[in-house]
Amino acid sequence: MHLANMIGDGKQGLGVLAFSLDWSVFSNAFLQSPIATPFWAACNLFVGFVLVFWVALPVAYFKNLWGSATLPLYSMDVFTTNGTRYDISKVMRDGVFDSQAYDNYSPLRMSLEFSWVYGIGFAALMSILVHIGIYNGKEIITRLRETKAKHDDIHGKLITSYPSVKAWWYMVLLIASCATGIGVGIGAGIGVPWWGYMLSFAIAIVLVIPVGIIQAISNRQPGLSLVAELLSGVVLQGIPTGYSILKLYGHGSLAQALSYAQDMKLAHYMKIPPRHVMIYQLVGIVVSVIIQTCLFFWLIDRIPDMCRPEGYPWVCRSTNLVYSASIIWNLIGPMKVFGEGSPYSPLLWGFLFGLVLPIPVYYLQRRFPNQTWLQHVYVPVILSGIVGLPPMPSVDFPMWFLFGFVFNFIIHRYWHAWWQKYNFTLSAGLDSGLALSGILQFLALAQNGLKLDWWGNQVDRQCTLSKKPWISP
């Protein structure tokens, strides 16, 4: 029964044969709509998921690699060597990391899948840089050398009828935003020096083009919060808030920049004036920040045990992941977690693996140009498929791929006229319906103290044995 729980549980286990009809499983913050993702990209992502999560992970776990079988199979928590939750108060003195106390207490341990995410993330980071260099390097240089007056298509010519956004507008916004962020952080006593903020902004500036190219091709934005984690662990070690700052201003700024570019592209084809788009975006950001901040404090005050297991379903998966990552990278630091003597030191080979792997794939694609399937192999996309686990439940991936297979392969092939007319409209409708449904359920039920509690929405409380280690520590 224990083994069946670990294999079949779609939340804390491998999710084999797990099934769901919930659209929030198909399209969520971790996986964009499967209908809007090209099928070849979905295949790349799913191949990476299957090879790592359904093949390599169970073999390594049940063979007790690095003592992993004494810990849960799938968890975002950090542990001691005896399998108990890691108590950071035991390794801190006066709010600062104490190396001697760490040696006396316990080395940090994490679930095998959680640790592998970092190793694969190292490989994904390097593969993106190499892939963009050998596939798109010449194109990037050519585009940078082009003048603004050069337009490739009719859309570019038509949009010139509207005044463009001045470059100095962006510069003023950039300087004002950076100054505000640094001022608030320093004024609040977060503990991160001013150059830590500047480093986070540099992350977004350097990676926006390579990550944007991958996203434009595959509709998949590689999760590169690892860059912020790695840099914060190296230069801000001992400052737990350093991870949060670099992730917020580095990875967050990168995601927002690409989102803005995506909106500008849509406006470009719909002939919406660029200045209007910028104003709409600014207004939307200001309004959303005010609403989200107020909502955050309202939820904290109203919902007991929020972000704790007792507060289900308000368990805050991503928030707990950030907490664990801040312990790994900033409190204890990468030198102790991944350095010499640590069972996780082999994961550093991921950098070399990611550096080399795109090269033979590039050679084979040039050597066999008529092999259609080979032309659709993208190493960064394959490697990025597993990076979102955790906090994403394992059931999300197979259900996401199944839905994409139905719409972007079967319907696309046999009912192409319907697919061409309704496919993306259906995706937008389902996403909008999900958001409206959540609002209505909250106002009609949760706001009035009503709760629907039945086996269909108790998935986190089923298969309880999947949370237990295979071997008792």
Side-chain angles (χ1 to χ4, degrees):
M1 182 60 71
H2 189 186
L3 180 61
N5 274 227
M6 299 181 83
I7 293 176
D9 185 11
K11 291 290 184 177
Q12 304 289 336
L14 297 175
V16 177
L17 299 182
F19 185 78
S20 175
L21 294 176
D22 186 350
W23 182 249
S24 66
V25 170
F26 306 137
S27 179
N28 51 48
F30 310 110
L31 292 170
Q32 302 299 318
S33 172
I35 302 178
T37 301
F39 183 64
W40 66 263
C43 289
N44 277 264
L45 289 165
F46 194 60
V47 164
F49 171 81
V50 170
L51 291 178
V52 174
F53 207 78
W54 282 355
V55 177
L57 179 64
V59 171
Y61 180 80
F62 291 114
K63 285 185 173 294
N64 198 26
L65 177 68
W66 305 336
S68 57
T70 61
L71 302 174
L73 171 63
Y74 183 81
S75 174
M76 66 188 78
D77 295 321
V78 289
F79 304 90
T80 64
T81 52
N82 62 11
T84 60
R85 294 280 184 89
Y86 207 86
D87 186 354
I88 62 173
S89 65
K90 299 294 180 79
V91 296
M92 298 179 69
R93 295 291 181 271
D94 300 323
V96 179
F97 176 72
D98 188 320
S99 182
Q100 183 61 45
Y102 174 81
D103 295 336
N104 294 335
Y105 177 51
S106 171
L108 181 140
R109 295 290 182 263
M110 47 186 153
S111 69
L112 185 62
E113 195 278 332
F114 193 9
S115 65
W116 277 16
V117 163
Y118 285 124
I120 296 172
F122 298 152
L125 171 61
M126 299 306 299
S127 70
I128 289 173
L129 299 177
V130 174
H131 177 95
I132 295 302
I134 59 180
Y135 283 85
N136 305 99
K138 292 182 179 179
E139 179 186 4
I140 293 174
I141 294 174
T142 300
R143 294 290 182 180
L144 291 175
R145 289 175 176 174
E146 287 181 352
T147 62
K148 289 182 63 178
K150 182 175 181 179
H151 299 285
D152 298 327
D153 56 20
I154 186 62
H155 300 286
K157 294 178 180 178
L158 291 175
I159 201 68
T160 56
S161 301
Y162 303 105
S164 62
V165 179
K166 300 294 185 181
W168 68 266
W169 291 18
Y170 289 114
M171 291 302 300
V172 169
L173 277 175
L174 176 63
I175 295 172
S177 300
C178 291
T180 302
I182 295 173
V184 170
I186 295 177
I190 292 177
V192 177
W194 65 269
W195 52 264
Y197 297 89
M198 300 304 295
L199 178 62
S200 64
F201 300 141
I203 294 174
I205 294 172
V206 171
L207 294 178
V208 66
I209 291 180
V211 174
I213 291 175
I214 297 297
Q215 182 176 353
I217 294 173
S218 65
N219 194 39
R220 169 73 174 181
Q221 185 180 123
L224 289 183
S225 61
L226 180 63
V227 179
E229 295 170 349
L230 184 61
L231 289 176
S232 67
V234 172
V235 301
L236 297 174
Q237 197 274 322
I239 307 176
T241 53
Y243 165 77
S244 300
I245 293 299
L246 262 72
K247 182 179 178 67
L248 172 64
Y249 289 107
H251 179 258
S253 298
L254 172 63
Q256 292 296 326
L258 292 176
S259 177
Y260 178 70
Q262 182 176 333
D263 292 340
M264 289 291 288
K265 179 180 179 181
L266 180 62
H268 179 83
Y269 289 123
M270 295 184 67
K271 310 304 176 293
I272 301 175
R275 294 186 179 183
H276 291 186
V277 177
M278 184 179 186
I279 294 172
Y280 300 152
Q281 290 282 324
L282 287 175
V283 173
I285 289 172
V286 173
V287 172
S288 66
V289 166
I290 295 173
I291 293 176
Q292 289 184 37
T293 303
C294 295
L295 180 61
F296 170 78
F297 286 107
W298 186 87
L299 289 172
I300 291 294
D301 293 336
R302 292 293 188 93
I303 298 176
D305 298 316
M306 187 174 176
C307 297
R308 298 178 183 272
E310 299 79 12
Y312 177 86
W314 305 88
V315 292
C316 309
R317 296 182 184 276
S318 296
T319 304
N320 283 308
L321 176 65
V322 169
Y323 172 75
S324 296
S326 65
I327 296 173
I328 294 170
W329 292 98
N330 285 103
L331 180 62
I332 297 175
M335 296 304 295
K336 288 187 177 293
V337 177
F338 299 101
E340 185 178 357
S342 168
Y344 307 121
S345 60
L347 295 173
L348 297 177
W349 286 100
F351 286 109
L352 181 61
F353 181 73
L355 186 68
V356 172
L357 189 57
I359 299 175
V361 173
Y362 176 80
Y363 169 77
L364 290 173
Q365 289 174 341
R366 296 300 181 272
R367 179 68 177 80
F368 304 102
N370 296 324
Q371 295 293 331
T372 305
W373 69 270
L374 185 60
Q375 304 306 315
H376 288 130
V377 174
Y378 277 73
V379 174
V381 179
I382 294 175
L383 293 175
S384 69
I386 199 69
V387 172
L389 293 157
M392 181 176 65
S394 56
V395 66
D396 289 17
F397 236 119
M399 290 297 96
W400 177 85
F401 179 76
L402 176 62
F403 209 84
F405 173 76
V406 170
F407 277 86
N408 288 341
F409 182 78
I410 296 178
I411 295 179
H412 178 271
R413 170 169 289 192
Y414 299 106
W415 295 280
H416 186 73
W418 186 96
W419 180 92
Q420 194 171 31
K421 187 173 183 180
Y422 297 112
N423 191 64
F424 298 106
T425 305
L426 175 64
S427 176
L430 288 170
D431 284 341
S432 301
L434 176 65
L436 291 174
S437 174
I439 295 172
L440 291 175
Q441 288 183 56
F442 178 79
L443 294 176
L445 300 175
Q447 180 71 359
N448 297 309
L450 301 176
K451 185 176 182 181
L452 297 179
D453 198 5
W454 62 297
W455 66 266
N457 61 5
Q458 296 176 355
V459 289
D460 278 28
R461 287 173 280 177
Q462 298 170 355
C463 299
T464 54
L465 293 177
S466 63
K467 303 176 184 179
K468 296 183 178 180
W470 181 245
I471 300 176
S472 298

